[in-house]
Amino acid sequence: MPAPATDIQSLSGDLLLLVFHELSVADVLCVRRVCRNFAATTRAKVLWMNLLSAVGSSEENVLPTCMKAPNLLDATALEALVVRVLRLARRWRNNDLFPVQVWRLNLCQSITWLRLVAGSWLFVASSDNYVSKITCWDMTLLFQNHMEPIAEAYLPGQVKTAQLEVQDSGIVIALGLGPSSPSVHIITLVQHLGTHHFAQLYRLEGSSHVLILQGDFIGCAVRCNTLIPHIINWKTQTTYDLPSPSGVDEPHFRNTPHSLILWNEFIVVVRHDTLHFYSQPTSAGPPVYTKFVKTIEIWELVVLDSRPSEPLRLLVISSIGVGIITIESDVLFNDDAYTHISVATTPKQWPWYRLTANGSGKRALWVSAEHAMRNTGKVEHPQLVYAAVFSRAPESETPLIQWMNDFPEDPALWAFPTIDFDEALGYTVVGNCFGELAIYDPIESDPSLCCRLTPDFSVHHQSLPQLLPVTPITLDFNLAPRRPMGQTISDRSLTSHWTQDDLALNPRFWCRDMLCDMYWDWDMWQGNLGDTAWLLSHAFGFPLLPIPQAHAYDDEADMPYVLVRSGERHLLLTHYRNPIQSFPLPLPRPLHSRLAERHQYLRPTAYTEILVQRSMFAADHRTSCRNRWREQQERGGRPHKNLLDTQTITQKYCIDI
């Protein structure tokens, strides 16, 4: 006789869990909806821990890299995480990441850096010439339309570069401030008396241009107004220089590198088309130069997470397109340890920029100006492009997922965007130079599952560090005169540090008066977004504040030469479309461009950003009658005038600024 049927409701809780472990996530949720008696079992933490492990074992799913201890989450958070990861994977399979939910904020200052942390925190640095601040939003509150930040603090300088890492002690951020008083501030987010605050862990004067934050080490490119890559153990306050192999001034080492990486026993300095390997410092001595590896030209770079003894993986934009550079662990002994895999081929020269990835780097994002740069007579906005990234060559061409944030209330993607993308949870955040900020979510969230998906990293268990000020700090930021429209400048005190070098220039060709009528770009040396100093830093790798010395007019080129000092070199510029030239100190006499060293673009995508911003600002006003610069000013901000193409905008479209 057949065995009698077993009533499943009579099974013990442990046996029910074993049954549910064999079900898919969709089936578990279906059981909960149709049978009230099983609802409690379907919410058991151990069940969702096992389902999370099963979801993470699939190659198409991506879990947050900060999930080192998922057992710290409760059952509701584990369920919300599993459901979101699966829904996002389904959107990727359908090649559709168009947002279904958007949260928008408008700030007063230009956004220069932002970072998402585990779908829970959003950090934003914003500044103008008068004030600079760092702000944090709790995204679980933001998604419930509580738009106020949970922490805000003011800084003594503009945030030019920044790096963030989630460490065992909490969230650590290294801010490279400048340009008037270069320094590095290491800060964290803490809780004190029931509220969140920014606190300072360490301050390093003189160093700037932060390239990496990894554990106890910070990597910087500038110290004491000199371009010299170095790493600092900020806990022991020990600094190690990474000089050129010969120890002398070599052309290949005159620009800032793309990145510094601590990998296995190496410090890797990533430059334009080479990787340079140094040994890590030990008690026996400082870093020692070991080897270099030739690569393709690297224009933009994201360092992907790698465990010890695993290959080093770099996501790059190059002249070819987007690709993965892989360096094997035996690089010291194997000349074939370098490989390059193409992810996507660029359709034309320089249309892709702002490469973004985080975590494991299985999914990437960048901006495409392919359509915006076509001379079709039609206004085409830049687009966001998403792509899956593989460690091996894909069997077929990687599909690119594109969408355009061209709603009137969205941040202008052409306005020097700052972007972050959470590959595991799907959130994309876009900020820009007009203080416009938006968070995009391609997943329609279940309100019952709206909770924090990671532990609270802001809890500080040790003695409370020094809290950052919550009242504005007025910046001493007078590096170049502001242009009074249609007038000549009368106050020359702001240029008192210009033209002070003893250069013995021929007065027949060179003029030392930088404010005369023959030279009109005297307000473009602040280092603000899109000005000449910004271009020197982002396109050519000279982040030191340039100090103008003289100008000369070239009748053949129909444009002025400008001579500026940047650190220990003098740079000769003609037009931002052209390569620059440089001279060592002291200058050769007589000065002639044939004696200069030519510098090509290290990051030509910076030139793309300027072209797109200048053309789209005018098109935005022409098609929608908007002036985002004026809108930011009406919010209480004081935006930089160089963000306008003043000659085109003020004359052709009669915009009063």
Side-chain angles (χ1 to χ4, degrees):
M1 295 179 61
T6 302
D7 185 357
I8 191 173
Q9 296 189 35
S10 66
L11 296 178
S12 66
D14 291 341
L15 289 176
L16 278 176
L17 283 173
L18 291 175
V19 173
F20 289 163
H21 286 166
E22 302 300 319
L23 301 180
S24 68
V25 172
D27 289 339
V28 170
L29 297 177
C30 183
V31 169
R32 178 189 299 173
R33 287 193 297 268
V34 300
C35 186
R36 184 182 306 170
N37 294 335
F38 295 147
T41 307
T42 62
R43 290 186 169 89
K45 179 175 179 178
V46 64
L47 172 64
W48 289 102
M49 282 286 295
N50 282 278
L51 291 173
L52 179 66
S53 177
V55 166
S57 63
S58 173
E59 220 177 270
E60 72 169 355
N61 301 323
V62 181
L63 296 181
T65 56
C66 61
M67 295 301 298
K68 300 175 183 177
N71 59 298
L72 297 179
L73 299 178
D74 60 25
T76 302
L78 288 169
E79 178 182 340
L81 177 61
V82 170
V83 170
R84 169 166 278 273
V85 167
L86 290 176
R87 288 178 177 174
L88 181 61
R90 185 164 60 248
R91 296 296 300 272
W92 276 87
R93 287 195 300 271
N94 295 333
N95 294 330
D96 179 14
L97 292 178
F98 194 85
V100 296
Q101 298 182 96
V102 184
W103 294 267
R104 298 179 179 91
L105 298 161
N106 287 318
L107 310 184
C108 296
Q109 288 79 33
S110 297
I111 297 171
T112 57
W113 174 84
L114 56 80
R115 182 63 53 87
L116 280 168
V117 178
S120 298
W121 315 96
L122 172 60
F123 295 90
V124 176
S126 57
S127 63
D128 53 27
N129 284 358
Y130 305 93
V131 69
S132 175
K133 62 182 178 180
I134 179 81
T135 309
C136 176
W137 282 269
D138 185 330
M139 291 181 63
T140 57
L141 297 177
L142 197 61
F143 295 158
Q144 299 172 37
N145 293 319
H146 298 289
M147 311 304 284
E148 294 300 316
I150 61 169
E152 191 171 74
Y154 290 87
L155 303 166
Q158 294 179 323
V159 175
K160 295 296 185 180
T161 52
Q163 295 288 330
L164 181 148
E165 186 178 54
V166 178
Q167 301 183 357
D168 292 339
S169 59
I171 299 170
V172 180
I173 310 173
L175 303 175
L177 304 187
S180 55
S181 54
S183 59
V184 175
H185 294 239
I186 301 178
I187 66 174
T188 187
L189 184 68
V190 300
Q191 288 189 30
H192 180 58
L193 300 178
T195 58
H196 289 85
H197 302 269
F198 284 107
Q200 183 171 285
L201 300 175
Y202 182 64
R203 177 172 177 168
L204 180 67
E205 298 292 346
S207 291
S208 62
H209 203 85
V210 177
L211 297 172
I212 190 173
L213 168 64
Q214 199 167 332
D216 298 346
F217 287 94
I218 313 167
C220 298
V222 175
R223 189 176 74 245
C224 300
N225 207 36
T226 302
L227 285 177
I228 178 166
H230 57 286
I231 61 170
I232 308 122
N233 186 319
W234 61 273
K235 292 188 176 178
T236 64
Q237 301 182 21
T238 308
T239 301
Y240 304 95
D241 289 344
L242 302 172
S244 65
S246 63
V248 299
D249 182 25
E250 296 183 29
H252 197 71
F253 289 81
R254 287 177 184 157
N255 315 90
T256 57
H258 287 297
S259 183
L260 302 179
I261 309 166
L262 275 66
W263 173 63
N264 294 341
E265 70 272 22
F266 299 114
I267 303 171
V268 186
V269 182
V270 184
R271 293 192 174 273
H272 179 54
D273 56 2
T274 50
L275 307 180
H276 297 264
F277 293 82
Y278 296 76
S279 64
Q280 291 201 24
T282 63
S283 56
V288 176
Y289 186 81
T290 304
K291 184 180 182 177
F292 79 92
V293 173
K294 186 74 173 177
T295 69
I296 61 172
E297 287 188 357
I298 299 173
W299 292 354
E300 294 190 18
L301 166 77
V302 176
V303 181
L304 303 181
D305 283 351
S306 60
R307 297 185 180 91
S309 302
E310 286 188 351
L312 175 64
R313 298 170 62 238
L314 309 176
L315 183 67
V316 303
I317 289 182
S318 68
S319 58
I320 303 172
V322 176
I324 290 276
I325 291 176
T326 302
I327 304 295
E328 301 295 336
S329 301
D330 61 348
V331 62
L332 192 63
F333 312 103
N334 183 4
D335 290 336
D336 298 325
Y338 159 81
T339 59
H340 173 263
I341 298 172
S342 177
V343 173
T345 303
T346 182
K348 59 185 291 188
Q349 191 178 27
W350 307 355
W352 292 350
Y353 55 94
R354 294 288 175 172
L355 182 64
T356 306
N358 57 34
S360 64
K362 292 183 179 179
R363 295 163 178 165
L365 162 68
W366 60 87
V367 177
S368 172
E370 175 188 358
H371 301 288
M373 297 177 69
R374 291 175 178 171
N375 296 321
T376 62
K378 179 182 177 183
V379 177
E380 298 279 359
H381 291 262
Q383 295 181 323
L384 293 174
V385 181
Y386 300 82
V389 178
F390 302 94
S391 299
R392 62 186 185 280
E395 297 178 357
S396 58
E397 187 175 349
T398 303
L400 302 182
I401 308 172
Q402 302 187 40
W403 65 270
M404 186 185 303
N405 69 330
D406 56 351
F407 294 107
E409 61 271 24
D410 280 341
L413 201 57
W414 45 263
F416 297 105
T418 303
I419 303 171
D420 200 12
F421 167 55
D422 191 315
E423 62 170 6
L425 303 179
Y427 301 117
T428 299
V429 179
V430 177
N432 66 17
C433 64
F434 298 117
E436 301 167 339
L437 180 67
I439 305 166
Y440 300 97
D441 185 3
I443 310 298
E444 188 169 2
S445 300
D446 185 343
S448 65
L449 297 177
C450 185
C451 58
R452 190 181 307 283
L453 303 182
T454 61
D456 189 346
F457 299 120
S458 66
V459 177
H460 204 280
H461 299 287
Q462 303 174 1
S463 59
L464 190 68
Q466 176 186 352
L467 299 182
L468 294 183
V470 294
T471 56
I473 301 172
T474 302
L475 300 183
D476 181 16
F477 196 71
N478 293 320
L479 302 176
R482 304 293 296 271
R483 179 184 294 276
M485 300 307 300
Q487 305 173 26
T488 57
I489 188 168
S490 57
D491 183 7
R492 293 174 173 257
S493 62
L494 299 180
T495 62
S496 60
H497 61 295
W498 291 6
T499 66
Q500 297 300 306
D501 294 0
D502 182 16
L503 302 180
L505 298 173
N506 188 336
R508 292 176 54 195
F509 303 103
W510 291 96
C511 176
R512 301 297 297 272
D513 184 2
M514 300 300 295
L515 304 181
C516 70
D517 293 340
M518 295 298 293
Y519 180 70
W520 288 98
D521 288 337
W522 37 257
D523 61 339
M524 298 292 286
W525 302 102
Q526 291 274 14
N528 293 328
L529 290 165
D531 71 8
T532 308
W534 181 92
L535 187 74
L536 287 176
S537 175
H538 287 75
F540 294 100
F542 289 98
L544 298 170
L545 190 69
I547 302 176
Q549 301 297 324
H551 66 91
Y553 203 83
D554 181 4
D555 292 329
E556 295 181 2
D558 193 31
M559 62 184 66
Y561 282 115
V562 182
L563 184 68
V564 301
R565 176 163 53 82
S566 177
E568 297 180 348
R569 297 191 71 80
H570 281 86
L571 308 179
L572 186 63
L573 296 77
T574 52
H575 192 272
Y576 63 79
R577 287 189 177 93
N578 299 338
I580 64 172
Q581 298 170 281
S582 73
F583 300 92
L585 298 181
L587 279 176
R589 300 186 183 186
L591 185 69
H592 199 286
S593 61
R594 286 199 302 265
L595 305 175
E597 173 190 329
R598 291 175 62 86
H599 296 271
Q600 296 290 340
Y601 287 102
L602 300 183
R603 182 180 167 246
T605 52
Y607 173 52
T608 303
E609 290 196 60
I610 288 181
L611 287 181
V612 171
Q613 190 269 337
R614 293 187 176 183
S615 62
M616 291 299 297
F617 189 102
D620 191 47
H621 177 73
R622 184 173 66 250
T623 58
S624 63
C625 297
R626 290 190 65 179
N627 184 346
R628 295 175 190 260
W629 188 93
R630 175 64 73 190
E631 291 172 10
Q632 184 181 9
Q633 192 178 55
E634 291 173 350
R635 291 195 296 270
R638 290 185 279 186
H640 316 305
K641 289 185 178 179
N642 66 279
L643 295 178
L644 299 168
D645 184 352
T646 52
Q647 182 176 359
T648 301
I649 299 300
T650 57
Q651 294 179 6
K652 189 172 182 179
Y653 300 110
C654 301
I655 295 179
D656 177 24
I657 63 171

